[in-house]
Amino acid sequence: RRAGAPVGRRAGSGALVCWWLALVTLLARLGVCDGDAPVLSARVERIGAMTFVVALNLSAAGEVDIVTTRASEYTDWASAATPPTLAELRAAVLPGGAISSDLSPPAYFRRTVRVPTSTLETRVLVDGAYNLQRPELSGAYGDFVVYPNETYVVSVAPRDDHDGVANVTALEVTTASAVSSSASLAEFGVVVSATTDGVVDAAVSAAAATLATLAPTFSNSNTQYETTVDAETAEVTVFGLPAAGGAVRVEVNGVVARAGPARFGGVVPSGAYSAGRTTVFYGRNAMMSLVVTAEDRVTQKTYQVRVTRSRSSEARLARLALHSAVPSPAFSPDVYTYTVSVPHDVTSIKVFAQPLDIRAQAVRVNAVLIQGVDVGGDAGRAVARKREAPYSRHVSLRVGSNAVVVEVTAHDATTKAEYRVEITRAYPDTDVELAFLEVTSVSRMVTGRHMGADVVSVSRTTHALTPVFVAPAAGEAATTGEHATDVEYRVMGVTIVAAPRDPRTSLSMTSTRLDGWSGNTTAGVTSTVAGETNALGGIDFDVNDLVVGRTRIALTATAEDSRYMKTLFLDVTRYTPGSETGLSDLNVFGEPGDRVPVLVPSFDPDLLEYVVTLDFDTEAVRVVPTAKDPVHALLRVNTVFTRSGVSSRTFPVPAGGELKITVAVTAHDGVSRRFYVVVAKRNAPHADASLATLQIMPTGVRFLVPSFHPDVLEYNLSQPLEHTVASIQIAPTTADSEYDRVLVNGARSPSGTLSRPIGVPPGFGNGVEMTFGLSTVNVVVRAQDGVTERTYTVHITRDPAPIYPNDATLRQLNVAPVDLTRLVPMFSPATQNYQLFVPARAASVGVTPVANDVNVYKIEVNGVLIGNGVETRTAMAELLRREDVELRVTVFAATCAPSYRPDGYDATGETFVDVDGDGSVDLLMDGKYRPNWCTTKTYVVELLEYGPGAYEGAMRLSSGNAEHTAGVVREMTPYPSPFGDTAEFLLSLDQKQAQEFYGGVRSTGDGECDEYLCQNSAIDPSLAAMELRVASVRPSRVGDDPLPLAGAGGGGAL
């Protein structure tokens, strides 16, 4: 069904229509959201009798709803003054929507149009089913009809209203009273455009397009036109604007055109018809036509225009250059005359010329067409042409001035431009002077042998010229044409390096042997020497096989102008060799330390054999030979080349052995030789590791026992050191005065000097237990041979500090078993409180106090009298039964003895009474005061069990919520180890030994509980619950056995 067909033809009712209206209104309200509605503008154009056009424009891309009604059919729907509401418009535009509730309402036009962009207008053609032949049948099938001379109301609104309050715009339009038969144009033209699609918005200048001038000027009565465009115009657009708004069809060159908005900055008016761009070629193109069909669909009118595209008259060059030359002034398309100068060796030149317009018909250099230049091709028909490098052929140049003319013929084949280049080729140069002259030689000398092959030294030497060569200044000539130089006899050839001042000047050389030794048959022979250009631009001439005597070298420079030449002479004299082979001096040095051993006999140039004796500490030697002929003589020390007066390399000499050093002197002639021999003998190391003296500081009245003798290795000091002397020093002196290596208690001590202080611990105790402090000093003497050693031992004793009768301190507090128990902190006489950790698997623990004063009155442990140094032992069962076990060790000093009286004490009035009921009488002063000179000191040792089987504290078994007061168990609590763990301690904690113990006896039960636990904890063998806390001082290890299971019976698992 066509859009706009009456909804009354579908099965429906007025109630259904009302429901649709309510639903659309509700949806419109629900669609409300924040934001501004886009701005819509609408207008009506090209109004005919049966059609009209609605032009729409939105401020943003979106959709527009449009509804058009015949005003006479819907008098209450809308008008320009009272547009419909947005909800009514939305309801009317929906498929199946309606305006009226009538069962058969009149048809109306409805459509939703997409506006793609804000820069373009969107046009909607409103037409209907009007029957032009039989108007009375129009709308017979219920279709919408546009009638002549009728008023219509056009209602539009943007669909993307955002906030639901978009304005509805209503326009009224009255169609033409009669169907038009006019096919004329109001405007007709040809547009020359530089844009891509011809659309020009506010941001594009109207200058983007121009209107071609028609001949004759456009008028409605004329349909044939001519116009001309320039050479740069490749496309044009033909447009036409019908005079009548209802034109039904417009064709441009057989293509149906469409009406559009104003384009090309208004050059093409709004509503004009066009069909895109048309390509134009150079010259007169085919006729372009525009056919207009009137609204009556019968009347047609054809407009024609012919476009002529002119050819370019551009004849200038874009580039002009010469190969390897730069014209002056710098090139410009509007400068037509240039000059350039080239050297004499440039005999021809190429010209590079590129036209500014590639359509130029021809580019010629000296009337010769340049190969490869684009010169018009296919007369501008846009045919692709191959482009190559636009160089001319070689233009020959003669010496002096040369004219090169470049002629460019424009595309129109009429306009021409001529560029002229004056090229001046220089005359040949006549410079024959040298800029550089040098004589060098390469010497090769055998300096030794290595792995059976000669070691060759290569050196380059520069030889001084007489007179010194000085390069002449520019434009001047050299004042000297002859030079000379001397070379040594060993130089067999020289290299002459020369460079002309003018690089175009060529050099050649000959050599002539002037004289030589007796019988030389080559004297006076001249030979040509070949030259080779070096990296610096000069020429190297190698003159080989120099004879002893003079060789004359002639160096000839030939200018670029070969008529000019100059020869320079150079005399090279090779020395006659000498035969001197003697030394003027020979020095020998020992290493390390540059020691100078005695050379026996003293050096004499005529004596060839010498001996030097080295001590053991001198490990190597070197020699410094000086030749009588230091310039030419060749020296080798043990076949290694050595310069005269320069030290040889170092030669090691074995201990107790000897080394032969040969100095070979070769004379200048290379034949005469002399050999000097030096035999270096090195002594064997000493094996004496004895001491000459051994002194101890401080000594006082003390002395070594026995008296010191180098062969006696162990000594004692005659008396102990006072307890106030804490250290001693030892000064050992070795018997070998040339070498000493002494270690005192492992520390290096030079012979004859005091060692670092050596501490001696104090003694302790008194009476029969008095013990001296002891320190042993070991003096190790190592002989020069590094093998022989002797150790001297000295035993030093030190008195203990004096002990007074009021000393009540312990010297030692020994515990047992030693490997498993730990006393924390470590014992110190000044520390009185300790914790003693005992493993639960130990049967008992013992503590032994030892008093510092052997004469103490007594020692008590928890009030029980024990002897000094007597052990008190506590069983593990006792530790497990009691909550806390402490040992209080009280020491009574000697001043506490009943018989002790201080010096100067008056015994008058003293009595003896058993005051404390301990069975012994106590001394009273004046019958009521005990004496105040008794000194005591108490050390407290807390015994703590640890490890499996150790328990501390008490808890009660419970059955349900009731506590059994008779059931007492102990919670297993581990003691952390506050000290370094020995292997025995870790073993005591190993879970593999975590068996149940009681009283030191392993459990013999079935592993469910220990006898002690079962006998003292279990009230009822059927336990409701049992908690067993197991802990260890370290995590379990892989492979450890688990603890024995418990609680497997009724009441729950462990």
Side-chain angles (χ1 to χ4, degrees):
R1 184 169 61 86
R2 284 188 58 172
V7 298
R9 295 185 181 274
R10 300 184 61 186
S13 64
L16 179 61
V17 172
C18 292
W19 182 85
W20 269 104
L21 290 173
L23 177 61
V24 170
T25 302
L26 177 61
L27 292 176
R29 291 178 179 177
L30 291 177
V32 174
C33 63
D34 295 335
D36 297 331
V39 179
L40 171 66
S41 61
R43 56 187 176 83
V44 179
E45 62 181 24
R46 302 205 304 275
I47 303 172
M50 298 183 296
T51 61
F52 56 88
V53 174
V54 180
L56 305 173
N57 185 272
L58 270 180
S59 60
E63 294 182 339
V64 176
D65 292 334
I66 177 171
V67 173
T68 303
T69 58
R70 189 177 178 185
S72 60
E73 292 177 345
Y74 291 97
T75 57
D76 297 332
W77 159 248
S79 65
T82 58
T85 65
L86 182 62
E88 292 173 340
L89 181 64
R90 295 282 172 81
V93 82
L94 288 175
I99 297 176
S100 172
S101 60
D102 295 343
L103 294 179
S104 299
Y108 60 89
F109 180 91
R110 60 186 172 196
R111 186 167 299 171
T112 297
V113 180
R114 176 71 181 173
V115 178
T117 175
S118 61
T119 59
L120 292 177
E121 286 185 330
T122 298
R123 286 168 169 73
V124 180
L125 177 65
V126 180
D127 59 357
Y130 182 74
N131 194 326
L132 187 60
Q133 285 72 28
R134 299 184 64 183
E136 67 278 4
L137 297 181
S138 300
Y141 298 101
D143 294 331
F144 175 72
V145 180
V146 177
Y147 293 95
N149 199 24
E150 283 287 343
T151 299
Y152 292 85
V153 177
V154 180
S155 302
V156 293
R159 175 170 290 275
D160 300 330
D161 58 338
H162 300 296
D163 56 3
V165 296
N167 294 326
V168 179
T169 302
L171 305 172
E172 292 186 2
V173 56
T174 302
T175 57
S177 58
V179 177
S180 174
S181 61
S182 172
S184 298
L185 294 178
E187 291 188 33
F188 176 64
V190 177
V191 177
V192 178
S193 171
T195 61
T196 301
D197 55 4
V199 177
V200 178
D201 57 18
V204 180
S205 170
T210 58
L211 193 62
T213 303
L214 297 180
T217 304
F218 173 74
S219 68
N220 226 349
S221 59
N222 192 2
T223 60
Q224 300 288 328
Y225 298 93
E226 294 275 348
T227 187
T228 301
V229 297
D230 59 24
E232 307 306 322
T233 301
E235 295 178 334
V236 297
T237 299
V238 178
F239 73 91
L241 177 65
V248 69
R249 184 183 183 90
V250 176
E251 293 182 4
V252 177
N253 291 336
V255 178
V256 176
R258 60 181 177 86
R263 286 166 292 168
F264 302 114
V267 173
V268 177
S270 176
Y273 287 82
S274 64
R277 296 178 295 276
T278 301
T279 302
V280 292
F281 303 99
Y282 295 107
R284 200 160 182 258
N285 287 263
M287 191 72 74
M288 301 179 190
S289 60
L290 187 147
V291 180
V292 183
T293 303
E295 189 178 22
D296 60 5
R297 293 175 171 79
V298 175
T299 307
Q300 287 187 337
K301 190 171 184 178
T302 301
Y303 292 83
Q304 292 183 320
V305 60
R306 189 185 298 276
V307 178
T308 299
R309 182 181 176 187
S310 60
R311 295 179 181 271
S312 172
S313 61
E314 179 61 71
R316 293 178 299 168
L317 288 177
R319 294 179 63 189
L320 176 63
L322 303 179
H323 190 269
S324 302
V326 179
S328 178
F331 174 75
S332 171
D334 298 320
V335 176
Y336 296 95
T337 302
Y338 300 89
T339 60
V340 67
S341 297
V342 297
H344 174 74
D345 55 358
V346 178
T347 59
S348 64
I349 200 167
K350 275 189 173 183
V351 180
F352 173 86
Q354 181 179 350
L356 197 62
D357 187 349
I358 64 172
R359 298 166 297 189
Q361 291 290 335
V363 177
R364 293 179 173 82
V365 176
N366 286 355
V368 177
L369 184 67
I370 293 181
Q371 298 295 322
V373 175
D374 187 344
V375 291
D378 195 26
R381 293 289 178 180
V383 179
R385 295 177 293 270
K386 183 178 180 181
R387 295 178 55 86
E388 298 176 357
Y391 283 96
S392 70
R393 294 189 179 93
H394 283 283
V395 177
S396 298
L397 300 178
R398 62 178 180 272
V399 175
S401 179
N402 299 265
V404 176
V405 178
V406 180
E407 181 187 74
V408 183
T409 302
H411 189 205
D412 59 7
T414 302
T415 307
K416 294 183 179 181
E418 185 177 280
Y419 293 82
R420 186 178 184 87
V421 182
E422 293 289 342
I423 302 175
T424 301
R425 179 186 172 195
Y427 287 90
D429 195 81
T430 60
D431 191 354
V432 292
E433 297 300 328
L434 295 180
F436 182 81
L437 180 64
E438 183 181 71
V439 179
T440 63
S441 65
V442 175
S443 300
R444 290 172 174 83
M445 181 182 303
V446 178
T447 59
R449 294 183 63 80
H450 178 70
M451 298 181 66
D454 290 341
V455 178
V456 179
S457 173
V458 179
S459 61
R460 177 176 290 275
T461 305
T462 301
H463 302 279
L465 296 178
T466 305
V468 177
F469 173 79
V470 178
E476 296 182 2
T479 58
T480 302
E482 293 187 0
H483 298 273
T485 188
D486 298 331
V487 299
E488 298 177 3
Y489 171 74
R490 66 171 177 266
V491 177
M492 303 296 296
V494 295
T495 298
I496 299 173
V497 183
R501 187 166 61 184
D502 185 349
R504 293 163 296 190
T505 299
S506 61
L507 298 178
S508 61
M509 179 180 291
T510 62
S511 65
T512 303
R513 296 175 178 177
L514 299 182
D515 50 27
W517 60 87
S518 178
N520 181 15
T521 59
T522 62
V525 176
T526 300
S527 59
T528 302
V529 180
E532 183 177 348
T533 303
N534 57 35
L536 300 179
I539 301 177
D540 296 341
F541 295 94
D542 292 330
V543 180
N544 300 318
D545 300 329
L546 287 177
V547 298
V548 175
R550 291 184 305 153
T551 300
R552 168 156 290 189
I553 296 172
L555 179 62
T556 302
T558 303
E560 186 180 26
D561 189 341
S562 59
R563 297 174 299 173
Y564 295 87
M565 303 173 66
K566 185 177 182 179
T567 300
L568 179 144
F569 295 98
L570 174 63
D571 288 346
V572 178
T573 301
R574 183 182 174 199
Y575 287 152
T576 301
S579 59
E580 178 59 61
T581 59
L583 291 179
S584 62
D585 196 7
L586 178 61
N587 295 314
V588 181
F589 297 92
E591 296 288 347
D594 283 341
R595 304 177 186 181
V596 183
V598 178
L599 190 66
V600 179
S602 299
F603 176 75
D604 187 301
D606 296 327
L607 295 180
L608 303 181
E609 295 183 359
Y610 300 89
V611 176
V612 293
T613 301
L614 310 175
D615 57 25
F616 173 74
D617 291 336
T618 304
E619 300 174 353
V621 295
R622 56 186 177 86
V623 298
V624 181
T626 303
K628 289 184 177 180
D629 185 0
V631 177
H632 303 106
L634 177 65
L635 303 179
R636 293 187 182 91
V637 178
N638 282 3
T639 73
V640 178
F641 172 74
T642 303
R643 294 183 181 275
S644 177
V646 178
S647 174
S648 70
R649 68 179 182 87
T650 300
F651 300 97
V653 182
E658 62 181 37
L659 176 70
K660 181 179 179 181
I661 301 175
T662 302
V663 179
V665 184
T666 302
H668 191 196
D669 59 9
V671 177
S672 303
R673 288 183 175 85
R674 181 177 294 186
F675 298 93
Y676 292 82
V677 177
V678 178
V679 178
K681 298 180 179 182
R682 181 183 174 192
N683 293 331
H686 298 162
D688 187 358
S690 62
L691 289 177
T693 63
L694 181 61
Q695 295 178 340
I696 298 178
M697 299 292 292
T699 58
V701 297
R702 301 169 188 85
F703 52 86
L704 292 178
V705 177
S707 299
F708 177 78
H709 188 278
D711 296 330
V712 177
L713 302 181
E714 190 165 1
Y715 300 90
N716 293 298
L717 202 58
S718 61
Q719 295 180 15
L721 300 174
E722 294 86 354
H723 77 277
T724 56
V725 179
S727 64
I728 56 98
Q729 289 178 288
I730 288 184
T733 303
T734 59
D736 186 356
S737 60
E738 296 182 0
Y739 178 84
D740 67 89
R741 180 71 175 182
V742 182
L743 299 177
V744 178
N745 281 1
R748 179 71 182 269
S749 181
S751 175
T753 62
L754 288 173
S755 68
R756 65 181 66 178
I758 300 172
V760 180
F764 56 87
N766 57 358
V768 295
E769 291 190 4
M770 184 180 70
T771 302
F772 293 106
L774 177 63
S775 180
T776 300
V777 180
N778 292 315
V779 180
V780 179
V781 182
R782 184 172 299 165
Q784 191 178 35
D785 61 5
V787 176
T788 305
E789 283 188 355
R790 180 174 288 186
T791 302
Y792 293 82
T793 303
V794 181
H795 302 288
I796 311 295
T797 58
R798 179 182 172 190
D799 285 334
I803 298 177
Y804 300 97
N806 63 347
D807 187 349
T809 60
L810 291 178
R811 186 174 74 247
Q812 297 178 6
L813 186 61
N814 301 324
V815 296
V818 176
D819 293 337
L820 300 181
T821 56
R822 295 293 182 270
L823 188 65
V824 180
M826 294 182 63
F827 176 75
S828 171
T831 303
Q832 294 178 253
N833 294 295
Y834 300 91
Q835 288 180 321
L836 179 59
F837 291 90
V838 184
R841 66 186 180 91
S844 61
V845 59
V847 177
T848 303
V850 179
N852 189 44
D853 184 4
V854 71
N855 299 314
V856 294
Y857 174 54
K858 63 178 178 179
I859 298 177
E860 294 180 353
V861 177
N862 288 349
V864 178
L865 180 64
I866 66 171
N868 186 12
V870 177
E871 181 186 58
T872 178
R873 184 166 290 275
T874 304
M876 180 56 64
E878 178 69 18
L879 295 181
L880 294 176
R881 278 193 295 269
R882 295 174 56 184
E883 294 297 323
D884 299 299
V885 177
E886 284 187 350
L887 300 181
R888 302 181 64 84
V889 181
T890 304
V891 183
F892 294 82
T895 58
C896 297
S899 60
Y900 177 81
R901 300 292 185 274
D903 293 338
Y905 170 71
D906 185 4
T908 303
E910 64 180 14
T911 59
F912 295 91
V913 179
D914 185 1
V915 178
D916 48 14
D918 59 356
S920 62
V921 294
D922 301 297
L923 174 65
L924 297 181
M925 298 175 61
D926 297 330
K928 54 183 177 181
Y929 297 107
R930 290 187 179 186
N932 57 3
W933 55 73
C934 178
T935 304
T936 64
K937 194 169 188 178
T938 300
Y939 295 84
V940 179
V941 180
E942 182 183 9
L943 302 183
L944 300 174
E945 63 273 16
Y946 68 87
Y951 306 94
E952 180 184 56
M955 61 183 296
R956 302 289 181 178
L957 288 177
S958 61
S959 176
N961 295 325
E963 183 180 287
H964 292 271
T965 58
V968 179
V969 298
R970 297 184 182 278
E971 180 180 7
M972 181 185 292
T973 303
Y975 287 91
S977 173
F979 37 75
D981 297 336
T982 64
E984 293 79 5
F985 178 70
L986 294 176
L987 185 63
S988 71
L989 302 179
D990 197 322
Q991 290 189 5
K992 292 181 179 180
Q993 297 185 8
Q995 307 292 341
E996 296 286 357
F997 282 85
Y998 170 63
V1001 180
R1002 184 187 297 272
S1003 172
T1004 58
D1006 57 5
E1008 294 184 1
C1009 70
D1010 176 78
E1011 285 87 343
Y1012 179 79
L1013 290 177
C1014 291
Q1015 294 172 7
N1016 294 277
S1017 300
I1019 305 301
D1020 185 341
S1022 300
L1023 298 177
M1026 182 175 180
E1027 181 184 39
L1028 177 62
R1029 298 183 181 179
V1030 182
S1032 172
V1033 297
R1034 62 169 178 78
S1036 299
R1037 297 173 179 171
V1038 177
D1040 287 348
D1041 294 333
L1043 290 171
L1045 299 177
L1054 175 65

